Amino acid sequence: MKKTLTAAITVAVAATGAIAETHASELKSAALSAFQALFTDYSEEGVRTYIAADIVQHNPFVPTGRDALIGFLPSLEASAITWTNHRILQDGDFVVLHNSFTNAEAFGAPEIVTIDIYRMEDGQAAEHWDAIQPFVTETASGRSMVDGPTEVTDLDKTEENKALAVALIEDVLMGKNPAKITEYISSESYAQHNPFIADGLEGIVAAVEALTAQDNMFVYTDIHAVLGEGNFVLTVSEGQWNGTTNAFYDLFRMEDGMIVEHWDVIQPVPTEGLANDNGMFTGFDGVGPDSIGQ
């Protein structure tokens, strides 16, 4: 009887894992298809298929609703914008996409890097957040803003890795206990993709010293979202830098309980010329730091 029960539990767990993996794959596929429709096919049919009619938009320069996106299709096609996805993560109903674009003058620069978040509902993108930054080709580390590992692993460590990312931000970037940085970031190998910071702990220390000397150190004030899948975790934070309020999108890769790689996109929060009043940080109910482990 005991062996039968154990076998049944094993089968049930395996089936649950397979269902979850299928669900994740379907959400990722739908999110990628939404981007494909917008930025590759310029397809109204595709947009109607993969984006909800009443999509809530948190990009401050894009009106809410699918019709606004359809209205942009002719200008996107005329610009010959191109889009490349580099990483994709799924956490519950949320899909995170790490992207780059060329011919992207409409978004502020010829080449840009973005991190986009879709909340998916019934196979469609129902809500969208993003941060956009011009692509910098000459970087302090010699790495690009988007290269590096892409494979999602260690699915059983997702919540642990989320907690690690939050601890780093709270202790180091919010100043609760900066000396604990060596407990979070690997001293053996730390690959940096922020274009202005060199690799390793030494690169971080040098950047902090330089920014502090300029009285321009970035200050994180709030963590609004923590989304992760296995060895990758994205945090969406708010803070001050360069005399403005900024959205800080930090993407971390973890390995053996330490942070070993970092990408980010930083965007000043605009206050004028807004196309919606949804805000860049609202709508993240249930995926903030308090949600970890629940």
Side-chain angles (χ1 to χ4, degrees):
M1 178 66 178
K2 184 176 180 180
K3 289 183 179 180
T4 302
L5 180 59
T6 300
I9 292 173
T10 301
V11 170
V13 169
T16 301
I19 291 170
E21 185 174 343
T22 300
H23 179 64
S25 178
E26 290 174 348
L27 290 185
K28 289 179 181 179
S29 177
L32 288 170
S33 295
F35 265 81
Q36 177 86 10
L38 282 167
F39 299 111
T40 301
D41 300 334
Y42 320 112
S43 166
E44 179 176 342
E45 180 182 358
V47 170
R48 292 189 182 280
T49 299
Y50 294 106
I51 296 178
D54 57 351
I55 182 173
V56 178
Q57 186 63 249
H58 295 273
N59 179 309
F61 299 120
V62 179
T64 279
R66 182 172 64 198
D67 288 345
L69 298 175
I70 291 173
F72 290 144
L73 291 176
S75 60
L76 290 172
E77 184 171 12
S79 73
I81 193 169
T82 64
W83 157 72
T84 302
N85 174 252
H86 301 279
R87 282 163 200 86
I88 184 166
L89 319 174
Q90 175 266 337
D91 188 345
D93 294 329
F94 292 83
V95 177
V96 176
L97 301 103
H98 189 199
N99 304 311
S100 63
F101 294 78
T102 62
N103 301 323
E105 285 82 358
F107 295 94
E111 296 182 62
I112 60 172
V113 179
T114 75
I115 295 180
D116 294 81
I117 303 170
Y118 276 143
R119 181 180 60 79
M120 307 299 291
E121 190 174 294
D122 297 328
Q124 293 183 309
E127 197 160 3
H128 172 252
W129 302 256
D130 65 358
I132 300 171
Q133 183 175 341
F135 194 98
V136 178
T137 54
E138 295 186 9
T139 67
S141 67
R143 304 175 189 277
S144 87
M145 295 179 71
V146 295
D147 67 351
T150 62
E151 183 184 3
V152 173
T153 62
D154 300 330
L155 293 178
D156 59 323
K157 297 181 180 178
T158 297
E159 298 304 304
E160 174 186 332
N161 287 335
K162 285 184 182 181
L164 178 61
V166 169
L168 170 72
I169 291 176
E170 290 182 341
D171 280 336
V172 178
L173 299 174
M174 290 182 171
K176 289 185 177 180
N177 195 343
K180 294 181 69 175
I181 188 170
T182 55
E183 296 183 18
Y184 309 128
I185 292 180
S186 173
S187 59
E188 297 179 0
S189 175
Y190 181 69
Q192 179 63 259
H193 297 269
N194 179 301
F196 308 112
I197 303 177
D199 277 348
L201 279 171
E202 300 85 356
I204 297 175
V205 171
V208 169
E209 290 177 348
L211 290 170
T212 301
Q214 300 166 18
D215 195 24
N216 193 32
M217 181 61 188
F218 40 75
V219 178
Y220 284 51
T221 55
D222 295 284
I223 305 171
H224 293 281
V226 187
L227 299 167
E229 185 179 14
N231 55 329
F232 286 95
V233 176
L234 172 73
T235 59
V236 178
S237 305
E238 181 178 359
Q240 304 299 312
W241 190 44
N242 287 329
T244 62
T245 299
N246 285 259
F248 296 101
Y249 279 51
D250 291 283
L251 180 61
F252 302 100
R253 182 173 68 86
M254 283 73 168
E255 192 174 278
D256 298 328
M258 300 292 285
I259 299 171
V260 297
E261 197 153 6
H262 170 252
W263 302 259
D264 62 0
V265 176
I266 303 172
Q267 178 184 332
V269 177
T271 57
E272 299 179 350
L274 306 183
N276 65 69
D277 58 2
N278 297 322
M280 292 185 71
F281 303 111
T282 63
F284 285 126
D285 299 338
V287 293
D290 293 342
S291 69
I292 295 173
Q294 297 182 6

